[in-house]
């Protein structure tokens, strides 16, 4: 496996990192993405955990945080879902706590996640934190999506393999591979990062107390997309008229569906069509829709439109870390909703979507419609004053 030393630095301001070492994103995507693993030694030199252990445990107690506790005591795997009010003693071996979507709750975690935006936002999912005591892990498994595994505290031993047999042990609370055949093994230190493509078998085991951050990507199944698209199309279907059969003949077999009826209904259903724009609108709304456990907390005393415009002009604005914003042509998508923006209105909105923030001076030329829209998003807590 090829290994590269990172050249970026991490600090509180979260400057842009060179996560791939000397490798350009273009080369990574060409040679590794979806194809083979990559180990990057010191992708973030001197990296320190964004949350200390006690703060991480406190986060796991919250109702709006997706968390799991996994234990492997006495050769028995068990998993429970959060909120996690009590954990085993940290001195006890072989247990792991996973916190999904930490980027939704911590600015520093969101900034770290955004360092991976050489992958389109439509594919970027979340930052998960794995805390484990000595020997802790989730067993040999595979993911259906790409993943970057960043070691941030302690050490973790990884064994990986490109095996074809992905059958699972039946009756387990976790998806553990029945036959795991590792091909490579290495230990990650804080700052080291491992990239794995989809369906690449791997098993990570903590060496002492450790924390690993996982950056995952959305990879919905085509079945999931098809079901979502059909539901989306329900709102746009327009087939006028009602079934009628003035040419009906006496029935010889009353219970049989007649050929003429099937033909007539088929002809009408074949009038249902969709084009690229329909798919774009569906994908934009679908991929920007927040997850079910995401809630926005509007400001208790929101500013009036005039005060908001004044403050935004001085301070700038930024997207909430919980907000997903995408666009395609004239269509703007935010948190599952979409609207059409004119060419003149697009400039500040596209900049906000790409940079996730907008300086105050960029709002001086914004139309009144754009400013009113931004004010509404502010009242909905989709954006914030910077």
């Amino acid at each position: 496996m090829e290994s590269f030393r990172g050249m970026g630095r991490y600090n509180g301001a979260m400057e842009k990192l060179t996560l791939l070492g000397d490798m350009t994103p273009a080369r990574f995507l060409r040679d590794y993405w979806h194809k083979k693993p990559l180990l990057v030694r010191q992708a973030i030199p001197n990296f320190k955990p964004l949350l200390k252990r006690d703060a991480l445990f406190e986060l796991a107690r919250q109702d709006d945080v997706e968390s799991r506790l996994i234990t492997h005591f006495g050769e028995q795997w068990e998993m429970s879902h959060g909120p996690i009010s009590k954990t085993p003693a940290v001195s006890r071996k072989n247990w792991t706590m996973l916190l999904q979507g930490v980027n939704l709750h911590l600015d520093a975690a969101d900034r770290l996640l955004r360092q991976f935006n050489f992958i389109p936002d439509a594919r970027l999912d979340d930052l998960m934190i794995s805390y484990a005591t000595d020997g802790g892990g989730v067993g040999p498994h595979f993911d259906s999506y790409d993943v970057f595994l960043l070691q941030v505290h302690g050490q973790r031993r990884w064994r990986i393999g490109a095996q074809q047999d992905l059958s699972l042990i039946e009756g387990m609370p976790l998806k553990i591979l029945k036959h795991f055949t590792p091909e490579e093994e290495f230990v990650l230190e804080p700052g080291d990062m491992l990239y794995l493509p989809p369906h690449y078998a791997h098993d990570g085991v903590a060496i002492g107390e450790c924390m690993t951050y996982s950056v995952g990507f959305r990879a919905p199944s085509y079945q999931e997309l098809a079901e979502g698209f059909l539901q989306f199309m329900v709102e746009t279907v327009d087939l006028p008229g009602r079934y009628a059969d003035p040419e009906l003949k006496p029935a010889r077999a009353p219970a049989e569906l007649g050929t003429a009826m099937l033909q007539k209904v088929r002809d009408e259903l074949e009038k249902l069509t969709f084009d690229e724009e329909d798919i774009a609108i569906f994908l934009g709304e679908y991929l920007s829709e927040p997850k079910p456990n995401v809630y926005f907390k509007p400001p208790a005393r929101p500013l009036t439109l005039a005060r908001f415009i004044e403050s935004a002009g001085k301070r700038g604005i930024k997207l909430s870390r919980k907000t997903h914003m995408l666009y395609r042509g004239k269509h703007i998508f935010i948190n599952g909703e979409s609207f059409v923006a004119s060419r003149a209105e697009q400039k500040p909105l596209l900049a906000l979507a790409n940079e996730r923030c907008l300086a105050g001076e960029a709002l001086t030329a914004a139309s009144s419609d754009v400013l009113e829209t931004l004010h509404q998003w502010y009242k909905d807590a989709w954006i914030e004053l910077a």
Side-chain angles (χ1 to χ4, degrees), residues 42 62 74 100 316 363:
Q42 291 304 285
Q62 296 183 194
Q100 296 281 162
L363 294 171

Side-chain angles (χ1 to χ4, degrees), residues 89-160:
V90 295
S91 59
R92 188 171 187 182
K93 296 182 178 182
N94 302 328
W95 66 270
T96 296
M97 184 175 67
L98 305 176
L99 280 74
Q100 296 281 162
V102 179
N103 53 290
L104 301 176
H105 308 279
L106 186 69
D107 285 338
D110 183 68
R111 289 195 295 270
L112 176 59
L113 178 69
R114 301 299 163 186
Q115 298 296 316
F116 292 82
N117 66 359
F118 54 89
I119 307 297
D121 285 349
R123 292 279 273 112
L124 196 59
D125 191 8
D126 75 341
L127 179 82
M128 181 183 78
I129 295 182
S130 169
Y131 169 86
T133 58
D134 186 40
V138 298
H141 65 287
F142 68 91
D143 297 314
S144 299
Y145 49 84
D146 305 83
V147 64
F148 288 93
L149 301 161
L150 176 65
Q151 191 64 24
V152 300
H153 175 70
Q155 298 176 316
R156 189 182 290 269
R157 175 177 286 107
W158 288 99
R159 296 185 299 155
I160 67 173

Side-chain angles (χ1 to χ4, degrees), residues 208-225:
E209 183 184 54
C210 94
M211 288 189 203
T212 305
Y213 292 2
S214 302
V215 174
F217 297 85
R218 294 194 67 173
S221 68
Y222 286 121
Q223 177 68 28
E224 179 184 341
L225 289 172

Side-chain angles (χ1 to χ4, degrees), residues 7-262:
M7 299 177 65
R9 294 184 294 114
Y10 170 81
N11 60 27
M14 203 58 186
E15 65 185 50
K16 188 66 179 178
L17 302 171
T18 310
L19 292 167
L20 303 173
D22 295 327
M23 186 182 301
T24 64
R27 182 188 166 196
F28 168 76
L29 293 173
R30 182 193 67 199
D31 296 341
Y32 291 90
W33 181 254
H34 268 24
K35 302 172 187 72
K36 59 183 178 179
L38 174 67
L39 174 63
V40 186
R41 291 292 184 186
Q42 291 304 285
I44 310 180
N46 304 314
F47 189 81
K48 298 294 189 297
L50 303 179
L51 283 174
K52 294 184 178 180
R53 182 179 66 197
D54 290 346
L56 192 66
F57 288 5
E58 181 63 33
L59 190 63
R61 296 187 184 101
Q62 296 183 194
D63 292 337
D64 59 343
V65 176
E66 185 180 350
S67 58
R68 288 169 288 168
L69 179 64
I70 298 167
T71 61
H72 192 205
F73 301 152
E75 301 302 317
Q76 184 73 30
W77 288 100
E78 292 188 8
M79 179 174 68
S80 58
H81 292 269
I84 300 172
S85 58
K86 185 177 181 181
T87 62
V90 295
S91 59
R92 188 171 187 182
K93 296 182 178 182
N94 302 328
W95 66 270
T96 296
M97 184 175 67
L98 305 176
L99 280 74
Q100 296 281 162
V102 179
N103 53 290
L104 301 176
H105 308 279
L106 186 69
D107 285 338
D110 183 68
R111 289 195 295 270
L112 176 59
L113 178 69
R114 301 299 163 186
Q115 298 296 316
F116 292 82
N117 66 359
F118 54 89
I119 307 297
D121 285 349
R123 292 279 273 112
L124 196 59
D125 191 8
D126 75 341
L127 179 82
M128 181 183 78
I129 295 182
S130 169
Y131 169 86
T133 58
D134 186 40
V138 298
H141 65 287
F142 68 91
D143 297 314
S144 299
Y145 49 84
D146 305 83
V147 64
F148 288 93
L149 301 161
L150 176 65
Q151 191 64 24
V152 300
H153 175 70
Q155 298 176 316
R156 189 182 290 269
R157 175 177 286 107
W158 288 99
R159 296 185 299 155
I160 67 173
Q163 64 188 62
Q164 299 300 311
D165 180 5
L166 297 179
S167 57
L168 304 175
I169 300 175
E170 296 181 1
M172 299 286 284
L174 300 166
K175 294 182 178 180
I176 296 178
L177 289 166
K178 184 182 297 184
H179 308 290
F180 178 51
T181 309
E183 299 168 347
E184 297 179 271
E185 178 178 321
F186 29 79
V187 173
L188 265 63
E189 306 276 352
D192 294 345
M193 184 174 72
L194 173 65
Y195 161 76
L196 294 174
H199 302 117
Y200 211 93
H202 53 285
D203 183 25
V205 178
I207 302 174
E209 183 184 54
C210 94
M211 288 189 203
T212 305
Y213 292 2
S214 302
V215 174
F217 297 85
R218 294 194 67 173
S221 68
Y222 286 121
Q223 177 68 28
E224 179 184 341
L225 289 172
E227 292 174 0
F229 183 68
L230 290 175
Q231 184 61 42
F232 165 81
M233 289 298 291
V234 165
E235 302 174 4
T236 60
V237 168
D238 182 20
L239 279 180
R242 184 181 294 273
Y243 178 81
D245 45 12
E247 73 289 350
L248 188 64
K249 301 294 189 297
R252 295 183 178 180
E256 182 183 11
L257 280 173
T259 300
M261 184 181 209
L262 292 175

